[in-house]
DNA sequence: GGCATTAGATAGTAATCGATTACTATCTTT
DNA sequence: AAAGATAGTAATCGATTACTATCTAATGCC
């Protein structure tokens, strides 16, 4: 009769914690995810979390690290598998949408961190992630113009901003509908609009 | 020698409260704007707020009402002054950007309310605002297609989603740069990209 | 099989939040 | 000028928060 959960090695417990936070962020406002709520979902007491993390911000920091690693890795894979810059942009777009579909809490946490007033470590990591993401997009746009795939007059920065905004729009739509899975269905149509905006005239 | 502020009539005090919240939202995370912070900025004690509002949510509700009234009114004015649907879309876009420039806290509060888990009145009003906004955009897109200004194959919903996303992208960019005023400068370039996406082939 | 290590439980703390209360200052009306 | 109505203060409440000190028991190692 032991209701206590089996012990987990520290590294594994950290991993589970991060995934739990991302799960919770899909259901409630990331801003008011408490350490108590995280622990409860894990079947563990609240104080136990502080055996593995020195502070709440350290948890959020680990979440951002988790997101940055996985998202950028998948995006880089998509880019290198693509035949052309424009093809790569579409692959990145769909990869990102897939990632959001699997982890609906991620964009909410990212935006939530960016909203913060104080310069926490987690916020800094969120900024860095988006910066790296933007750099990759910028390179693809530049290459696309060199190859004549994209319009020569295209404003690189505007193209990157619009790319991110296009995804943001889909996220907001899913936030309004309360249905996250559906963005996968509307993603291709939305991207083809974006493509039309940046493509070279035929 | 009276350091106490002069009394304000109730209606005026409510108005000042709303504007104070919007001001604060431009500087800090809307999620952790406390009633104490609002009162402090107003030069009034925290308890005084509850003479005019029954709860904190009632304050946020008043803020959403304020936003909805002003934003939609300005947008309707922009639409009726436009010569064509495509012209109207551009006018709405720039009007919205102007509004955000004047009140940088607004998009943050809107997104913050949408993030909420509970169905507060303030959240419901935010949803209604965006819904009405989307309907106006949808009508413009439909008219634009009828008049041959926009591409016939255009997906109406995708066009609306991309419109909102385009603005969201600019907002996120300003959130990263920490410079809200600059979005006014980059707005025209970004909109011309959007226009390229929806315009009929020439 | 005994023992050090450590994950987790238990039971707190101090700070902060929204909200309420009793009281007071100001304004308005007649 | 008195009196009622309204606006605001100051203090405080209960709830919740992140975080911590101390105790218990499971785990791995020899």
């Amino acid at each position: 009769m032991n209701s206590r959960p089996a012990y987990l090695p520290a590294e594994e417990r950290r991993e589970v914690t991060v995934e739990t936070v991302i799960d919770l962020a899909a259901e409630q406002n990331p801003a008011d995810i408490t350490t108590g709520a995280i622990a409860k979902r894990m079947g563990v007491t609240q104080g136990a979390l502080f055996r593995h993390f020195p502070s709440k911000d350290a948890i959020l920091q680990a979440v951002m690290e988790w997101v940055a690693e996985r998202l950028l890795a998948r995006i880089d894979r998509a880019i290198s598998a693509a035949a052309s810059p424009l093809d790569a942009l579409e692959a990145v777009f769909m990869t990102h949408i897939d990632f959001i579909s699997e982890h609906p809490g991620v964009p909410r946490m990212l935006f939530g961190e960016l909203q913060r007033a104080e310069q926490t470590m987690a916020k800094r990591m969120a900024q860095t992630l988006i910066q790296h993401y933007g750099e990759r997009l910028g390179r693809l746009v530049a290459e696309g113009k060199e190859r004549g795939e994209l319009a020569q007059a295209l404003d690189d920065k505007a193209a990157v901003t619009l790319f991110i905004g296009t995804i943001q729009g889909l996220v907001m739509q899913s936030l309004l509908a309360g249905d996250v899975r559906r963005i996968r269905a509307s993603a291709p149509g939305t991207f083809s609009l974006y493509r039309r905006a940046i493509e070279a005239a035929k």
Side-chain angles (χ1 to χ4, degrees), chain A:
Chain A
M1 284 302 294
N2 190 355
S3 67
R4 192 170 294 168
Y7 282 6
L8 275 188
E11 195 45 48
E12 210 161 328
R13 186 56 91 194
R14 285 176 56 94
E15 175 98 7
V16 172
T17 306
V18 166
E19 288 164 359
T20 302
V21 172
I22 293 177
D23 272 7
L24 282 174
E27 303 165 15
Q28 60 180 281
N29 193 345
D32 41 49
I33 292 178
T34 65
T35 55
I38 300 170
K40 187 179 179 184
R41 175 69 62 98
M42 294 169 69
V44 148
T45 58
Q46 183 252 0
L49 291 187
F50 291 89
R51 292 272 134 191
H52 305 285
F53 297 92
S55 68
K56 187 185 183 182
D57 187 61
I59 297 178
L60 302 179
Q61 199 178 323
V63 170
M64 288 301 141
E65 201 177 318
W66 188 96
V67 170
E69 276 177 15
R70 277 167 180 71
L71 181 59
L72 290 180
R74 279 169 72 161
I75 279 171
D76 284 337
R77 225 180 306 144
I79 290 177
S80 56
S84 76
L86 186 52
D87 200 51
L89 281 172
E90 179 160 12
V92 168
F93 190 88
M94 293 311 294
T95 300
H96 195 155
I97 293 295
D98 276 350
F99 193 82
I100 291 175
S101 289
E102 293 167 27
H103 311 289
V106 165
R108 308 178 57 174
M109 288 217 58
L110 265 173
F111 212 84
E113 285 301 323
L114 290 181
Q115 293 257 39
R116 274 197 152 62
E118 338 87 72
Q119 260 294 359
T120 64
M121 280 304 295
K123 178 181 180 182
R124 217 186 307 271
M125 298 195 67
Q127 291 174 318
T128 305
L129 164 58
I130 298 182
Q131 185 192 327
H132 289 166
Y133 190 85
E135 286 168 2
R136 281 162 170 80
L137 292 177
R139 275 200 294 271
L140 289 178
V141 170
E143 285 180 33
K145 279 166 71 175
E146 284 174 19
R147 295 210 201 175
E149 246 184 347
L150 302 185
Q152 291 302 322
L154 187 61
D155 177 349
D156 290 35
K157 282 183 179 174
V160 170
T161 298
L162 188 59
F163 187 98
I164 295 176
T166 305
I167 292 177
Q168 278 283 120
L170 284 170
V171 169
M172 183 168 237
Q173 215 62 29
S174 76
L175 219 58
L176 282 169
D179 178 9
V180 197
R181 313 287 159 184
R182 199 177 330 161
I183 75 172
R184 229 165 171 156
S186 40
T190 309
F191 181 79
S192 70
L193 261 188
Y194 175 73
R195 167 190 304 218
R196 204 161 181 274
I198 61 170
E199 227 171 6
K202 290 176 186 172

